[in-house]
Every structure is written in C-alpha cells, then in structure tokens.
Amino acid sequence: MQIIFHEKTKTFHLYNHEISYIMTVLPGGQLGQLYFGKAVRDREDFSHLAEYSFRNMASYLSEDQDTVSLEHLKQEYPVYGTTDYREPAVEVIQTNGSRLSDLSYAGFLIIQGKPQLPGLPAVYVEKEDEAATLIITLKDSVTGLSVQLFYTIFEERPVITRSVCFTNQGCEALHLGRAMSLSMDFPDCDYEWLQFSGVWARERHLKTRNLEPGIVSVGSMRGSSSHEHNPFIILKRPHTDESQGEAVGFSLIYSGNFLAQAEVDNQNVTRILLGIHPDTFDWKLEPGADFQTPEAVMAYTCRGLNELSQSFHSLYQKRLARGYWRDRPRPILLNNWEATYFDFNEDLLVEIADRAKKCGVELFVLDDGWFGARRNDRAGLGDWTANKELLPDGISGLSKRIEALGMKFGLWFEPEMVNADSDLYRAHPDWILQMPGRRASLGRHQHVLDFSRKEVVDCIYNMMAALLREAKISYIKWDMNRYITECYCAALPADQQGEVFHRYILGVYDLYERLTSEFPHVLFESCASGGARFDPGMLYYAPQAWTSDDTDAIERLKIQYGTSYCYPVSSMGSHVSAVPNHQLHRNTPLYTRANTAYFGTFGYELDLNKLTEDEREEVKKQIAFMKEYRGLIQFGTFYRLCSPFEGNITAWMVVSPDKKTAIIGWYKTLNQVNAPFSRIRLQGLDPELCYHLEGCSQTFYGDELMNAGLITSDSMCGEYKNRRPGCDFDSRLFIFKA
Ligand code: DGJ
C-alpha cells in the first residue's frame, strides 16, 4: 500500500494491490480527479487523464486558459458558480451574501494509520501499518476557509474512506450550507444505480435504474437514516452481476439526514455526492472554529456484487463495529414484544423465560412497557424507572430471577423520546424539539427530546447508567420510534437553527459512547421501529440492529437480502415469530421461519409455552443447530445466490474461511405444480475439495457445485434425508462439509 506524491506533476496516487486512486492539481489550482478503479502501475505524470477542450458555451477561467472550464473537469471537491454548473460538494455563505468559493490546493500531509473523527463514528485501524492517510489542504484566499480532505487507503482492502474538515481561518463568521463527505467524478455514465429503499416493515428493497443525464438521488430529511432509503448506493456496469464485473459502492457512516446523488452532465460525466443532506443543514463557522463531516466509504470490485458486499461486511465487522461483542457469536435471545406486547407482569415474564431456557435460549429480553406509567404507548417514555406494580422488585429483582434461571437479561429503552404523560415531560416541557408558537406534531403519541442539548443527554444518561449499575443487564435494545418534526432548539440562537439535526445525532452518538465505554460487556442492539436506523453509524456503537418490524419469514427474505448488499449477517437482528404472523397474518412453517432467521443474530419473538410439545422439540433442535453453526453463519463469507427480487426462489450461502464448511439457505415462495427442474450454482467453495452433503449419500467436488450447480428440484431431493413434500413457503438448508 502506498500513497505517492509526484512533486513535479503535483499528482497523488493512492494504491494497493487491488485499487488506484489518482488526483492532481489542475491549472486553476483546484484539485482534479483523474482515476478511481482497478490498480494501475504508478507513473510520474498522469496529466493526460485530465482532458481539456475549448467548448462552445463553456465558461472558462481566463483568456489564457480558455480550455479550462470547471464544468468539464473532473474534480475532487467542486464548488458551484465559478464555471461549474453541476451540484457542488460545498457551499459557503459569507456575511456579504456571497455563496462563491474558490478552493485552491495549499499542501498535503501523509500519515501512517488513520485518525479518528471527533464525536463521530468512523472506520478504525488496530495497527498503524494497516492503512495510510493523505490529508490535502485546500484554501479559499477570500474567505479564509481551509478545507482538509482526508483519504485513507488500506493495505488489504479495496476501500478508500473520505471525510472533510473545515476550519474558518478568516475573521468573519461563515455558514456552511452544504458540506458533503464525498464528491467523485467518473468519466462516463455507463452504469446502473442501485438503491435500497422501502418503508416501515419493508426496508431496503433493491431498486435498480440506468443512469441518464440529470440527477438521481436518495436521501432522508426525517432525522434518521430512515426506512425509506439507506445511506448506501452502488454504481455497477450493466453486465455486472453477483459474481463478475465492475461496481463501486458508496456508504455513509452516519445516522441522520443524508443525501446520496448521481448527476450525469452534458458530456456523460457522472458526479457522485454523498453526505449530510444540505436541505436541512446550515452550520455557522465562527473564526477559528472547525466542522468535521461524517465519513464516507467507497469500495471497488471488478469481480461482482458479492465481492463488493464482502468488502463492506469485512470492513464493518472488523473495523467499524467495536468492543467485546465485535467478534463473538451472538446470544440466542427471546424477546417478549410479540409474545405479550404491554400485557405482562413479572411472573408471566419469568414463565416465558423459564420455558425459553428449557429450549436452550440464552438471553431473555424485556421489551417496551416496563417503566413509569407505560401501560400502552401513550404514557411513560422518559421515566426510566421500573413500574413497581408490574415488577415489584424493579429491574434488579427481575434480572436476578432471570439470571437464576441460568440466562442473561436484556432490556428495552427508547432514550430519545418522551410522552407528554410522563414525569420527565411535566418537569421539562421545554426539552422537546419544537418551534415556539407552533404546534408540536406527534408520532406514536410521543415527542422527540432535544438531544442537541447536553443537559438533556446528561439526564437520560444518568437514568440509564443508574439502572445498568444496579441491575444485571447484559443487553440493551435501543429503540427510536418516530421521525423528527419542528426541528428547532430553544437553546440555540436563530443563526444556528440549521445545526439542530446534526447536533441531535451528535447527542445520540455521545450517549452511545458514554454507555458503551462505561458498560463494555453490554451487547447493544439498535432499532428504530425496526430498520429506520440500519446504518453504519449505529454499527460503530451497536454491532447488531433490529432489521425490520416485519418478522414474516417470506417478507424477511427480501429485507435481509437487500440489507446484505452492505451489512454483515452478524449485524442483522432476526427472530422466529408466531403464526399467523402479526404483521402480515401469514402462516409459514416453523422450519422456514428458522431457516430465514438463522441468517442473522437469531432469536425468538413469541411465547414458547404457546407452542405444541412437538413444536418445542423442533425449537430445541433449531437452537442446537444455531449454537453449532452461528460462528460460521455470522462471521463466514456470505454470498447471495438467487434473488427474491427476481423470482420465486431465494438462495444465499455462507462459507467458512477455510472453505471446508458451507451452509446454503434455499427458499421457495409459492409451490408449483409440475415444476421445472432447478439448480443453483454455489460460490466460494474450493474447486479441489470434495464435499459431503449432510443427509445425502453422495459427495460432490467444489468445481461441480460451483459450475454444474446443486440440484434443488425434487428429483434430487429424494436423496436428502430432510425431504418433505413441497408446499408454499418451503425452504431447505444444505450443509456441505469437505
Ligand atoms: C418498535 C420495535 O421495532 C419493536 O420491536 C418493539 O420494540 C416496539 N417498538 C416497542 O414499542
């Protein structure tokens, strides 16, 4: 891995054995983008990659530079209005009303390793030699704004991380109206754009479209990354599929409002922008002050989407998630939400936990409803002390009873919210986000606490930390069940109201940081009405996230498949729930519910006392299976094989690092009469190894399974011990061992 600066040509080349990233200083002083893609050998002069031409209608910088139009140059951190008409990376508003900037190259620094971002989640290194960082400084001589562009390249990953730090070195306050984390100009537009979109209970469905001249974008202005869009997009070549072809993935390590955008210009150049959503952002930068953007990650592959996803999985699993649980197989849990909703008392909880323990469950999680006056969702949020009518000895008493069963105990919080009917709100009605003189809109009968204010975060921290100190709590589910409206902070002056959304997220990160460092053995699972904050920012603090409130096994195939494009299996909270399913009212076989939930952190969302004896025996086997294989499933190499977005069959697989064990999950949505023969081609096996398929007398070489494929039609399944007559919502697991 190298970062090279060629002094004579003012060219930077970041490369490792997989990728190259090349930039140069352009004639006008701006930083130009020359190349990002598969590794190319270094040379002193790459300046021919910056193409210049006089074009009619192009504005240019000066009479002696009439071929230098920023509209037609590929740049690293462009501004609008000084010959470039595309959407810019940055916009700075000055006291004289001007929004113009001119950012010229001023110098650079190369350091080993990777600096952390103050107050923000970011990818990290464990050893300095894992990565190197280039910091390029640009300056605007008129405003005194200094812009530091951070680029980190890793020795062993086809990944570049980027972020930007602004410093006002002038003597007047500036406003950042836009401060993207990443801007990237690609020389053509022969790409498909992949986004991961949906809504509550239908998150991260894959949507694909061709790039055309104009703008395509996804984003959130809801205060969280949202159910609707994910801060992750992919550009892929039209012929690229899961196992071959070029693609670039862009991911933002941030949990608040974001914008991900591609603009194809009049010469088919594609500009990608990724960062905080500019429409809800305006940051006042006083003289001497800094502003740090969130971090963006770009990964490249020339070998298909599975490899691109694996780069993100490995990076986010090993160098974004942190702490005790990062590398540990996750406990099999039972959560009481769909089992009881608000209708429980201590004895019922212990009865449910006791049965769960007898089936092999390791962690009992008490969800919503245990605190304050919370007997339904209209009261109690904000009062984080146990309701003594339900739990006479408090959380401490209940947690002792659960631990006495031989299980760990976990607890639900929704720290950022308050009900009007709560002691917290009665004491501090001014602590919610609201615009004085206007209505404070509601969501799920609740208001959003103003987490941009330190005293609010401190108060919630004190309540949560007190409980964590006093009771035996091993796991926290951190929920967030509404979006932000009337985003106004009573404690900030008028010219800083554009900061509130971002300050709110910084407050959330601050609370997470305090709790995770003080209670390092507690496993945190993030949640936001299911998957409204399934983003890399959260993964830095909570290594797993509740993937969706939709627990139907068939719906989950699309949700988990879509989520897998960026996020590792170990991050996806996935549970077996009761039938008829509570969201969809669908009946699916118990084995299919488990076969889907295995590809995640695994647990149950039901009262096992309500199952039949036979079903409980099946559950015991499921739990025994997951205990044996969770290390492989959660931390092995994951491949998508057959897409639920394209047909009736879904399939995916995980392979162990030594390629000696593989598990394939195969799912059929609807049964078919007289169905065609079917097979799936496996991936990631060792072609030279001979694999035994569990429950089958035959063996198969890896090359046959990857090229001829695994027969999944019933003709072959006659061989398998676990054969069943076909039905709707059918599924199978295939376990191969070398
Ligand atoms: C939304 C979560 O996604 C559910 O799992 C559950 O915790 C409820 N909130 C509780 O209110």
Side-chain angles (χ1 to χ4, degrees):
M1 161 202 56
Q2 291 269 10
I3 300 180
I4 291 188
F5 177 62
H6 295 291
E7 178 72 53
K8 209 159 124 204
T9 55
K10 297 241 177 323
T11 301
F12 297 94
H13 188 182
L14 297 81
Y15 65 88
N16 60 25
H17 56 279
E18 290 284 348
I19 55 168
S20 278
Y21 194 104
I22 307 172
M23 298 169 271
T24 195
V25 179
L26 297 171
Q30 300 80 11
L31 191 61
Q33 158 61 221
L34 296 184
Y35 176 73
F36 174 52
K38 193 169 178 169
V40 295
R41 81 193 56 218
D42 188 47
R43 58 189 285 175
E44 179 161 27
D45 190 357
F46 282 106
S47 59
H48 48 281
L49 292 175
E51 295 161 281
Y52 301 91
S53 160
F54 177 82
R55 292 181 190 275
N56 285 336
M57 288 310 295
S59 311
Y60 44 89
L61 294 186
S62 62
E63 282 302 352
D64 57 343
Q65 290 185 319
D66 63 2
T67 61
V68 184
S69 169
L70 296 175
E71 181 177 8
H72 297 296
L73 284 167
K74 295 169 257 311
Q75 298 160 70
E76 279 300 302
Y77 210 63
V79 300
Y80 166 82
T82 59
T83 74
D84 191 349
Y85 300 99
R86 293 168 289 182
E87 292 217 349
V90 58
E91 186 175 49
V92 184
I93 305 129
Q94 297 142 56
T95 43
N96 64 7
S98 164
R99 289 170 183 258
L100 297 181
S101 302
D102 202 352
L103 298 175
S104 298
Y105 172 75
F108 76 96
L109 182 68
I110 295 171
I111 54 176
Q112 267 311 117
K114 179 176 188 295
Q116 282 307 100
L117 307 190
L120 283 166
V123 164
Y124 58 88
V125 292
E126 286 194 333
K127 294 197 199 100
E128 294 276 280
D129 59 2
E130 283 177 21
T133 300
L134 167 66
I135 307 163
I136 298 179
T137 303
L138 309 178
K139 281 193 175 155
D140 183 358
S141 57
V142 173
T143 59
L145 183 71
S146 162
V147 179
Q148 286 186 304
L149 306 177
F150 286 74
Y151 300 84
T152 296
I153 184 161
F154 292 80
E155 173 88 52
E156 297 294 342
R157 300 176 190 276
V159 163
I160 304 266
T161 65
R162 296 178 54 175
S163 73
V164 183
C165 183
F166 299 87
T167 308
N168 183 354
Q169 296 176 340
C171 40
E172 284 187 355
L174 301 171
H175 278 261
L176 294 172
R178 170 186 283 252
M180 304 310 281
S181 300
L182 170 154
S183 176
M184 182 75 208
D185 289 346
F186 288 93
D188 68 87
C189 68
D190 190 21
Y191 290 105
E192 286 172 358
W193 155 283
L194 277 58
Q195 66 186 60
F196 302 88
S197 300
V199 70
W200 174 79
R202 201 164 59 243
E203 297 90 342
R204 290 172 297 287
H205 280 210
L206 169 65
K207 305 281 172 195
T208 304
R209 54 182 132 172
N210 294 332
L211 286 187
E212 298 286 353
I215 288 179
V216 49
S217 74
V218 291
S220 167
M221 297 201 289
R222 294 166 182 267
S224 72
S225 48
S226 88
H227 299 99
E228 281 68 18
H229 299 292
N230 198 260
F232 177 62
I233 53 127
I234 297 174
L235 288 191
K236 78 169 189 67
R237 295 297 186 186
H239 64 273
T240 296
D241 61 23
E242 290 288 3
S243 54
Q244 58 79 37
E246 261 195 320
V248 186
F250 302 88
S251 166
L252 186 67
I253 304 179
Y254 191 56
S255 311
N257 292 344
F258 76 94
L259 176 70
Q261 174 170 305
E263 176 171 3
V264 177
D265 75 6
N266 52 18
Q267 300 296 336
N268 293 340
V269 168
T270 303
R271 170 170 294 172
I272 298 294
L273 293 175
L274 182 62
I276 295 179
H277 201 303
D279 286 2
T280 50
F281 174 79
D282 170 38
W283 195 273
K284 185 176 184 189
L285 208 55
E286 297 281 6
D290 290 337
F291 178 79
Q292 172 66 55
T293 71
E295 183 163 276
V297 179
M298 326 170 40
Y300 170 84
T301 185
C302 57
R303 289 180 289 268
L305 295 174
N306 269 324
E307 190 186 86
L308 185 76
S309 298
Q310 288 156 10
S311 296
F312 280 103
H313 296 171
S314 154
L315 182 71
Y316 285 175
Q317 205 163 46
K318 298 289 175 203
R319 292 294 178 268
L320 178 64
R322 300 175 296 169
Y324 179 83
W325 285 103
R326 185 186 78 176
D327 302 328
R328 286 186 160 76
R330 304 299 156 68
I332 294 168
L333 66 81
L334 185 139
N335 179 305
N336 78 309
W337 180 240
E338 288 195 16
T340 66
Y341 296 102
F342 292 110
D343 192 12
F344 61 81
N345 59 35
E346 185 172 309
D347 287 341
L348 178 62
L349 295 175
V350 174
E351 214 176 283
I352 294 172
D354 184 38
R355 177 61 74 184
K357 167 67 190 169
K358 286 182 179 135
C359 291
V361 171
E362 298 159 312
L363 168 70
F364 174 77
V365 178
L366 172 54
D367 209 279
D368 194 353
W370 56 267
F371 47 89
R374 185 93 165 159
R375 295 316 304 130
N376 52 49
D377 57 12
R378 290 172 180 270
L381 286 176
D383 298 341
W384 300 109
T385 48
N387 179 325
K388 289 288 174 81
E389 278 170 34
L390 302 172
L391 307 171
D393 297 313
I395 289 299
S396 169
L398 174 64
S399 66
K400 276 188 203 136
R401 285 183 73 185
I402 300 295
E403 289 240 336
L405 297 173
M407 300 175 93
K408 296 290 179 198
F409 175 73
L411 193 59
W412 181 96
F413 286 91
E414 193 174 358
E416 300 151 66
M417 300 291 157
V418 69
N419 287 116
D421 183 1
S422 69
D423 293 342
L424 184 70
Y425 183 82
R426 281 182 281 273
H428 299 286
D430 56 325
W431 275 10
I432 64 168
L433 288 169
Q434 65 181 336
M435 176 75 202
R438 290 192 187 275
R439 170 194 63 229
S441 308
L442 291 150
R444 206 195 183 196
H445 317 289
Q446 62 200 48
H447 294 292
V448 185
L449 286 170
D450 185 351
F451 260 45
S452 74
R453 292 169 67 171
K454 188 167 178 312
E455 66 273 31
V456 178
V457 176
D458 286 347
C459 169
I460 301 297
Y461 162 78
N462 287 333
M463 285 191 260
M464 291 178 77
L467 260 179
L468 280 159
R469 282 181 207 123
E470 156 203 325
K472 292 176 182 299
I473 299 172
S474 305
Y475 161 107
I476 285 184
K477 179 175 172 186
W478 178 321
D479 209 342
M480 194 261 190
N481 284 310
R482 64 157 289 187
Y483 293 131
I484 292 176
T485 52
E486 292 91 25
C487 187
Y488 186 94
C489 169
L492 282 175
D495 61 354
Q496 286 187 267
Q497 291 301 328
E499 301 177 11
V500 183
F501 272 115
H502 182 59
R503 285 181 182 274
Y504 176 91
I505 286 295
L506 294 180
V508 173
Y509 290 153
D510 176 39
L511 183 57
Y512 257 118
E513 187 64 41
R514 286 197 241 174
L515 292 171
T516 50
S517 37
E518 190 173 337
F519 305 100
H521 293 102
V522 174
L523 172 61
F524 282 74
E525 177 156 344
S526 76
C527 173
S529 286
R533 230 165 32 185
F534 204 116
D535 58 60
M538 285 290 117
L539 286 185
Y540 185 68
Y541 306 98
Q544 59 191 62
W546 184 225
T547 315
S548 175
D549 271 350
D550 190 342
T551 58
D552 174 77
I554 300 302
E555 292 289 294
R556 272 298 189 113
L557 293 174
K558 285 185 177 158
I559 296 168
Q560 291 174 208
Y561 203 93
T563 304
S564 80
Y565 280 87
C566 185
Y567 305 99
V569 172
S570 60
S571 67
M572 289 188 226
S574 50
H575 301 167
V576 173
S577 60
V579 289
N581 173 265
H582 291 195
Q583 294 77 40
L584 212 70
H585 317 295
R586 179 187 274 152
N587 285 296
T588 51
L590 183 53
Y591 62 85
T592 291
R593 283 176 268 155
N595 286 346
T596 303
Y598 290 143
F599 290 84
T601 59
F602 197 67
Y604 291 82
E605 188 92 12
L606 47 73
D607 181 353
L608 294 169
N609 288 307
K610 295 194 174 148
L611 299 189
T612 64
E613 206 45 64
D614 282 353
E615 286 173 325
R616 276 198 290 271
E617 286 309 308
E618 198 176 331
V619 164
K620 282 183 194 162
K621 285 189 193 135
Q622 292 171 352
I623 293 173
F625 167 83
M626 193 56 182
K627 283 181 181 167
E628 184 176 349
Y629 288 108
R630 62 185 154 183
L632 163 61
I633 295 178
Q634 291 167 358
F635 297 96
T637 311
F638 181 84
Y639 291 86
R640 290 174 299 272
L641 301 176
C642 232
S643 172
F645 300 108
E646 287 168 14
N648 197 35
I649 301 295
T650 303
W652 51 44
M653 66 185 286
V654 285
V655 186
S656 61
D658 64 5
K659 297 180 188 254
K660 288 190 172 161
T661 313
I663 302 180
I664 291 90
W666 179 93
Y667 312 84
K668 179 171 66 180
T669 302
L670 292 181
N671 205 15
Q672 284 174 297
V673 175
N674 196 15
F677 296 124
S678 62
R679 60 178 74 180
I680 39 174
R681 297 210 282 176
L682 306 189
Q683 293 195 38
L685 301 176
D686 184 336
E688 303 296 326
L689 285 180
C690 185
Y691 293 88
H692 169 244
L693 172 57
E694 203 168 271
C696 174
S697 56
Q698 289 199 43
T699 55
F700 311 84
Y701 274 93
D703 56 359
E704 180 194 321
L705 291 168
M706 292 193 290
N707 296 312
L710 165 72
I711 303 290
T712 52
S713 28
D714 281 350
S715 65
M716 181 68 192
C717 290
E719 279 280 316
Y720 307 149
K721 203 170 63 193
N722 64 357
R723 184 185 179 198
R724 304 181 187 92
C727 61
D728 288 347
F729 317 129
D730 198 7
S731 67
R732 290 185 212 128
L733 286 189
F734 299 94
I735 302 170
F736 285 96
K737 287 186 179 154

